[in-house]
Amino acid sequence: MKKLAAALLATGLFSAVHAADKIAVDLALTQATIIDVAAGTRAKGQSVLLKGDTIVAVIKDAELKNYAPKKIIKLPGKYLMPGLWDTHVHFGGGEALIEENKQLLPLYLAHGITAVRDCAGDLSDTVLSWRQQIAAGKMAGPTIFASGQKLEGIKPLWKGTIEVGTPADVSRALDQLQSQKVDFVKITENTMTPEIYLEALRQAKARGMRTSGHLPGQMPLARAFDAGLGTVEHLSYLLRATTPREAELAQQVAAGKLSGREVNRLSIESYDEATARAAFRHMAARGTAVVPTLSVSRITAYLDQEDHSHDSYPQYIGKGLRETYEWRVKRAAQDSPDAIALRHAVYEKSAALLPMLAQEGVSIIAGTDAGFLNSFDYPGQALHDEIALYVKHGLTAQQALQSAVVNGPRFLGKLDRYGSVAPGKAADLLVLDADPLTDIGVTRKIRMVVSRGEVHDRQRLDTMLADVKRWVASQR
């Protein structure tokens, strides 16, 4: 009892006046094997005690008789770990698709994903509102960490951006994003000059704002790392750092002599492992992480070989969102045989870099690019596909789990609240039927999800999926 009282005091949930009283605990999860994802260890014979949206203690099962939880859930033979994070999702497609996007939220929870990082679309104000409502317990869904509108150059391709062309533009944009209390700043390179890109990184760093981005082809990647870029979104950007020709190729892009596709081809042809390792060591030293988004990259690369017309998952995706998939499908259909072969090569070579990145100390953060536009990259399911690909391409199951449990919170400075099953951490938990440290595939065998202390057992998760399926069917 003293141990629990001390834990409650440490979380600030109770005052010293009540420490000697019998402590009310909402829920005890008992008899499961607890997975420590960071350490890669298992602990048996322990119970997790929850109060509201917080874990207040982890005690021995034998000690549970000393307490009186309002509810006890016995989980013999099950495995308990923190909920998963998908750190690269998109809500978007225009205001007409707001409700369809909202229906994605239960899909994430039903697949064990208790937090997502929205990397900007054209519904940023809506997503920021959802973030607030979910945090306040007024709306169901995974915890949302959001960028707000992304920064882009003048006359960008993407909708929902803040156009910046001068240092003053950057300052005004960051003022706006800070006023919205965004969790990080997304920067893309479609029409942005390298000079303004680096200026955005410098100004964001000076303000203490975390950054995430695509990478301009007109400059070596190390310049972005040195300027403070927090995460590289999409692993294929790092191909350019694996060739001794990187500086030369960047100059040719700046001169309008090479396209991004041609740079990828030449980077693969001139690949050098020593160059790659040195670049990744530099990247790690500067604290820049990578969000690979392999699931969508693989799907797009192999659209020529895989038929998605019989996928069952679209029954959970609204018609409007499904229609946004056609953009990438039609574009891929126009590729020549050489372009298709290059798609395959870019994916395979990029994916093969994963073990090397881990060996050189680069943080790998799981993210899928799921949402609108990205064909057949299904929200919820995609994260399980993503981390399975990490293992296929050379990471251990533990490393794959760390990418989806520990590394995202670390990037956002949230490890005090997320990433482990421990007192003071969020009551965001995943209960599995088998050991994920042994087989990464069992993250799909979900028995229960706890989101901010609310229990969703298997029956309730199935009901959530059925409700979304029913809603989607009603819109046809």
PDB file of all heavy atoms in Angstrom, residues 13 31 55 73 104 133 138 156 170 179 181 207 261 297 340 357 382 404 456 459:
ATOM      1  N   LEU A  13      -1.616  12.884  -8.343  1.00  0.00           N
ATOM      2  CA  LEU A  13      -3.044  12.586  -8.364  1.00  0.00           C
ATOM      3  C   LEU A  13      -3.681  12.709  -6.981  1.00  0.00           C
ATOM      4  O   LEU A  13      -4.878  12.889  -6.858  1.00  0.00           O
ATOM      5  CB  LEU A  13      -3.266  11.166  -8.895  1.00  0.00           C
ATOM      6  CG  LEU A  13      -2.890  10.965 -10.377  1.00  0.00           C
ATOM      7  CD1 LEU A  13      -3.009   9.502 -10.747  1.00  0.00           C
ATOM      8  CD2 LEU A  13      -3.780  11.811 -11.260  1.00  0.00           C
ATOM      9  N   GLN A  31      -1.877 -10.703 -14.341  1.00  0.00           N
ATOM     10  CA  GLN A  31      -1.492 -12.024 -14.855  1.00  0.00           C
ATOM     11  C   GLN A  31      -0.924 -12.004 -16.274  1.00  0.00           C
ATOM     12  O   GLN A  31      -0.581 -13.059 -16.814  1.00  0.00           O
ATOM     13  CB  GLN A  31      -2.669 -13.010 -14.778  1.00  0.00           C
ATOM     14  CG  GLN A  31      -3.155 -13.243 -13.348  1.00  0.00           C
ATOM     15  CD  GLN A  31      -4.305 -14.235 -13.283  1.00  0.00           C
ATOM     16  OE1 GLN A  31      -4.559 -14.971 -14.224  1.00  0.00           O
ATOM     17  NE2 GLN A  31      -4.998 -14.256 -12.146  1.00  0.00           N
ATOM     18  N   ILE A  55      -1.108   5.324 -15.537  1.00  0.00           N
ATOM     19  CA  ILE A  55      -0.634   4.162 -14.785  1.00  0.00           C
ATOM     20  C   ILE A  55      -0.089   4.678 -13.451  1.00  0.00           C
ATOM     21  O   ILE A  55       0.784   5.546 -13.425  1.00  0.00           O
ATOM     22  CB  ILE A  55       0.491   3.439 -15.546  1.00  0.00           C
ATOM     23  CG1 ILE A  55      -0.016   2.918 -16.894  1.00  0.00           C
ATOM     24  CG2 ILE A  55       1.067   2.296 -14.710  1.00  0.00           C
ATOM     25  CD1 ILE A  55       1.080   2.385 -17.808  1.00  0.00           C
ATOM     26  N   ILE A  73      -9.097  -7.076 -14.459  1.00  0.00           N
ATOM     27  CA  ILE A  73      -9.132  -7.860 -15.695  1.00  0.00           C
ATOM     28  C   ILE A  73      -7.954  -8.826 -15.665  1.00  0.00           C
ATOM     29  O   ILE A  73      -6.795  -8.406 -15.620  1.00  0.00           O
ATOM     30  CB  ILE A  73      -9.072  -6.962 -16.940  1.00  0.00           C
ATOM     31  CG1 ILE A  73     -10.272  -6.020 -16.984  1.00  0.00           C
ATOM     32  CG2 ILE A  73      -9.015  -7.815 -18.208  1.00  0.00           C
ATOM     33  CD1 ILE A  73     -10.260  -5.064 -18.164  1.00  0.00           C
ATOM     34  N   LEU A 104     -11.687   7.417 -39.656  1.00  0.00           N
ATOM     35  CA  LEU A 104     -10.406   6.714 -39.572  1.00  0.00           C
ATOM     36  C   LEU A 104      -9.942   6.562 -38.130  1.00  0.00           C
ATOM     37  O   LEU A 104      -9.146   5.661 -37.822  1.00  0.00           O
ATOM     38  CB  LEU A 104      -9.334   7.455 -40.372  1.00  0.00           C
ATOM     39  CG  LEU A 104      -9.598   7.682 -41.860  1.00  0.00           C
ATOM     40  CD1 LEU A 104      -8.426   8.426 -42.491  1.00  0.00           C
ATOM     41  CD2 LEU A 104      -9.854   6.369 -42.587  1.00  0.00           C
ATOM     42  N   GLN A 133     -10.120  17.995 -28.627  1.00  0.00           N
ATOM     43  CA  GLN A 133     -11.286  17.260 -28.131  1.00  0.00           C
ATOM     44  C   GLN A 133     -10.901  15.881 -27.590  1.00  0.00           C
ATOM     45  O   GLN A 133     -11.429  15.448 -26.555  1.00  0.00           O
ATOM     46  CB  GLN A 133     -12.310  17.107 -29.257  1.00  0.00           C
ATOM     47  CG  GLN A 133     -12.957  18.413 -29.692  1.00  0.00           C
ATOM     48  CD  GLN A 133     -13.918  18.193 -30.852  1.00  0.00           C
ATOM     49  OE1 GLN A 133     -14.931  17.512 -30.723  1.00  0.00           O
ATOM     50  NE2 GLN A 133     -13.572  18.744 -32.006  1.00  0.00           N
ATOM     51  N   LYS A 138     -13.498  14.418 -24.901  1.00  0.00           N
ATOM     52  CA  LYS A 138     -14.788  14.717 -25.516  1.00  0.00           C
ATOM     53  C   LYS A 138     -14.998  13.978 -26.822  1.00  0.00           C
ATOM     54  O   LYS A 138     -16.074  14.064 -27.423  1.00  0.00           O
ATOM     55  CB  LYS A 138     -14.908  16.221 -25.749  1.00  0.00           C
ATOM     56  CG  LYS A 138     -14.876  17.050 -24.465  1.00  0.00           C
ATOM     57  CD  LYS A 138     -14.952  18.536 -24.772  1.00  0.00           C
ATOM     58  CE  LYS A 138     -14.907  19.367 -23.491  1.00  0.00           C
ATOM     59  NZ  LYS A 138     -14.945  20.828 -23.774  1.00  0.00           N
ATOM     60  N   PRO A 156       2.812  26.357 -54.327  1.00  0.00           N
ATOM     61  CA  PRO A 156       3.147  24.936 -54.150  1.00  0.00           C
ATOM     62  C   PRO A 156       2.140  24.008 -54.826  1.00  0.00           C
ATOM     63  O   PRO A 156       1.033  24.410 -55.183  1.00  0.00           O
ATOM     64  CB  PRO A 156       3.090  24.768 -52.635  1.00  0.00           C
ATOM     65  CG  PRO A 156       2.061  25.760 -52.205  1.00  0.00           C
ATOM     66  CD  PRO A 156       2.228  26.943 -53.122  1.00  0.00           C
ATOM     67  N   VAL A 170       8.828  33.246 -43.178  1.00  0.00           N
ATOM     68  CA  VAL A 170       9.073  32.134 -42.255  1.00  0.00           C
ATOM     69  C   VAL A 170       8.719  32.554 -40.833  1.00  0.00           C
ATOM     70  O   VAL A 170       8.047  31.808 -40.099  1.00  0.00           O
ATOM     71  CB  VAL A 170      10.541  31.666 -42.334  1.00  0.00           C
ATOM     72  CG1 VAL A 170      10.834  30.647 -41.231  1.00  0.00           C
ATOM     73  CG2 VAL A 170      10.843  31.063 -43.705  1.00  0.00           C
ATOM     74  N   SER A 179       1.313  29.895 -32.130  1.00  0.00           N
ATOM     75  CA  SER A 179       0.067  30.316 -31.488  1.00  0.00           C
ATOM     76  C   SER A 179      -0.940  29.171 -31.445  1.00  0.00           C
ATOM     77  O   SER A 179      -1.805  29.125 -30.572  1.00  0.00           O
ATOM     78  CB  SER A 179      -0.546  31.515 -32.227  1.00  0.00           C
ATOM     79  OG  SER A 179      -1.086  31.134 -33.492  1.00  0.00           O
ATOM     80  N   LYS A 181       0.033  26.133 -30.979  1.00  0.00           N
ATOM     81  CA  LYS A 181       0.675  25.119 -30.133  1.00  0.00           C
ATOM     82  C   LYS A 181       0.852  23.792 -30.868  1.00  0.00           C
ATOM     83  O   LYS A 181       0.570  22.707 -30.348  1.00  0.00           O
ATOM     84  CB  LYS A 181      -0.109  24.916 -28.837  1.00  0.00           C
ATOM     85  CG  LYS A 181      -0.140  26.136 -27.931  1.00  0.00           C
ATOM     86  CD  LYS A 181      -0.905  25.866 -26.645  1.00  0.00           C
ATOM     87  CE  LYS A 181      -0.774  27.010 -25.656  1.00  0.00           C
ATOM     88  NZ  LYS A 181      -1.254  28.301 -26.163  1.00  0.00           N
ATOM     89  N   ARG A 207      13.540  28.712 -31.895  1.00  0.00           N
ATOM     90  CA  ARG A 207      12.313  28.811 -31.101  1.00  0.00           C
ATOM     91  C   ARG A 207      12.063  27.551 -30.277  1.00  0.00           C
ATOM     92  O   ARG A 207      11.069  27.472 -29.548  1.00  0.00           O
ATOM     93  CB  ARG A 207      11.105  29.039 -32.030  1.00  0.00           C
ATOM     94  CG  ARG A 207      11.090  30.370 -32.751  1.00  0.00           C
ATOM     95  CD  ARG A 207       9.999  30.363 -33.804  1.00  0.00           C
ATOM     96  NE  ARG A 207       9.934  31.588 -34.584  1.00  0.00           N
ATOM     97  CZ  ARG A 207       8.898  32.429 -34.598  1.00  0.00           C
ATOM     98  NH1 ARG A 207       7.839  32.179 -33.840  1.00  0.00           N
ATOM     99  NH2 ARG A 207       8.905  33.499 -35.361  1.00  0.00           N
ATOM    100  N   ARG A 261      14.121  11.540 -60.058  1.00  0.00           N
ATOM    101  CA  ARG A 261      14.164  10.138 -60.480  1.00  0.00           C
ATOM    102  C   ARG A 261      15.556   9.779 -61.004  1.00  0.00           C
ATOM    103  O   ARG A 261      16.096   8.715 -60.679  1.00  0.00           O
ATOM    104  CB  ARG A 261      13.101   9.896 -61.553  1.00  0.00           C
ATOM    105  CG  ARG A 261      13.053   8.482 -62.070  1.00  0.00           C
ATOM    106  CD  ARG A 261      11.921   8.285 -63.058  1.00  0.00           C
ATOM    107  NE  ARG A 261      10.627   8.278 -62.393  1.00  0.00           N
ATOM    108  CZ  ARG A 261       9.459   8.056 -63.025  1.00  0.00           C
ATOM    109  NH1 ARG A 261       9.458   7.829 -64.321  1.00  0.00           N
ATOM    110  NH2 ARG A 261       8.330   8.053 -62.354  1.00  0.00           N
ATOM    111  N   SER A 297       5.721   2.976 -49.751  1.00  0.00           N
ATOM    112  CA  SER A 297       6.743   2.920 -50.797  1.00  0.00           C
ATOM    113  C   SER A 297       6.701   1.581 -51.520  1.00  0.00           C
ATOM    114  O   SER A 297       6.815   1.515 -52.757  1.00  0.00           O
ATOM    115  CB  SER A 297       8.129   3.146 -50.192  1.00  0.00           C
ATOM    116  OG  SER A 297       8.222   4.421 -49.601  1.00  0.00           O
ATOM    117  N   ILE A 340       9.492   1.565 -64.157  1.00  0.00           N
ATOM    118  CA  ILE A 340       8.979   0.566 -63.212  1.00  0.00           C
ATOM    119  C   ILE A 340      10.139  -0.175 -62.553  1.00  0.00           C
ATOM    120  O   ILE A 340      10.154  -0.388 -61.333  1.00  0.00           O
ATOM    121  CB  ILE A 340       8.038  -0.419 -63.927  1.00  0.00           C
ATOM    122  CG1 ILE A 340       6.755   0.305 -64.355  1.00  0.00           C
ATOM    123  CG2 ILE A 340       7.713  -1.604 -63.020  1.00  0.00           C
ATOM    124  CD1 ILE A 340       5.851  -0.517 -65.245  1.00  0.00           C
ATOM    125  N   LEU A 357      21.462   1.991 -40.949  1.00  0.00           N
ATOM    126  CA  LEU A 357      21.034   3.168 -40.196  1.00  0.00           C
ATOM    127  C   LEU A 357      21.012   2.866 -38.704  1.00  0.00           C
ATOM    128  O   LEU A 357      21.498   3.661 -37.885  1.00  0.00           O
ATOM    129  CB  LEU A 357      19.646   3.615 -40.666  1.00  0.00           C
ATOM    130  CG  LEU A 357      19.611   4.330 -42.014  1.00  0.00           C
ATOM    131  CD1 LEU A 357      18.205   4.277 -42.605  1.00  0.00           C
ATOM    132  CD2 LEU A 357      20.052   5.786 -41.858  1.00  0.00           C
ATOM    133  N   ALA A 382      -1.779  -0.498 -41.885  1.00  0.00           N
ATOM    134  CA  ALA A 382      -0.490  -0.160 -42.491  1.00  0.00           C
ATOM    135  C   ALA A 382       0.659  -0.184 -41.482  1.00  0.00           C
ATOM    136  O   ALA A 382       1.790  -0.522 -41.847  1.00  0.00           O
ATOM    137  CB  ALA A 382      -0.566   1.208 -43.167  1.00  0.00           C
ATOM    138  N   ALA A 404       7.991   1.877 -33.049  1.00  0.00           N
ATOM    139  CA  ALA A 404       6.565   2.183 -32.954  1.00  0.00           C
ATOM    140  C   ALA A 404       6.093   2.485 -31.540  1.00  0.00           C
ATOM    141  O   ALA A 404       4.911   2.783 -31.338  1.00  0.00           O
ATOM    142  CB  ALA A 404       5.753   1.005 -33.506  1.00  0.00           C
ATOM    143  N   HIS A 456     -10.981  -1.183 -24.295  1.00  0.00           N
ATOM    144  CA  HIS A 456     -11.656  -1.660 -25.498  1.00  0.00           C
ATOM    145  C   HIS A 456     -11.285  -3.131 -25.645  1.00  0.00           C
ATOM    146  O   HIS A 456     -10.189  -3.458 -26.126  1.00  0.00           O
ATOM    147  CB  HIS A 456     -11.202  -0.876 -26.727  1.00  0.00           C
ATOM    148  CG  HIS A 456     -11.388   0.613 -26.614  1.00  0.00           C
ATOM    149  ND1 HIS A 456     -12.525   1.262 -27.049  1.00  0.00           N
ATOM    150  CD2 HIS A 456     -10.584   1.572 -26.102  1.00  0.00           C
ATOM    151  CE1 HIS A 456     -12.407   2.560 -26.818  1.00  0.00           C
ATOM    152  NE2 HIS A 456     -11.239   2.769 -26.243  1.00  0.00           N
ATOM    153  N   GLN A 459     -14.328  -7.693 -28.182  1.00  0.00           N
ATOM    154  CA  GLN A 459     -15.701  -7.518 -28.671  1.00  0.00           C
ATOM    155  C   GLN A 459     -15.969  -6.054 -29.022  1.00  0.00           C
ATOM    156  O   GLN A 459     -16.578  -5.752 -30.058  1.00  0.00           O
ATOM    157  CB  GLN A 459     -16.692  -7.991 -27.601  1.00  0.00           C
ATOM    158  CG  GLN A 459     -18.143  -7.880 -28.053  1.00  0.00           C
ATOM    159  CD  GLN A 459     -19.122  -8.407 -27.007  1.00  0.00           C
ATOM    160  OE1 GLN A 459     -18.718  -8.898 -25.965  1.00  0.00           O
ATOM    161  NE2 GLN A 459     -20.410  -8.310 -27.288  1.00  0.00           N
TER     162      GLN A 459
END
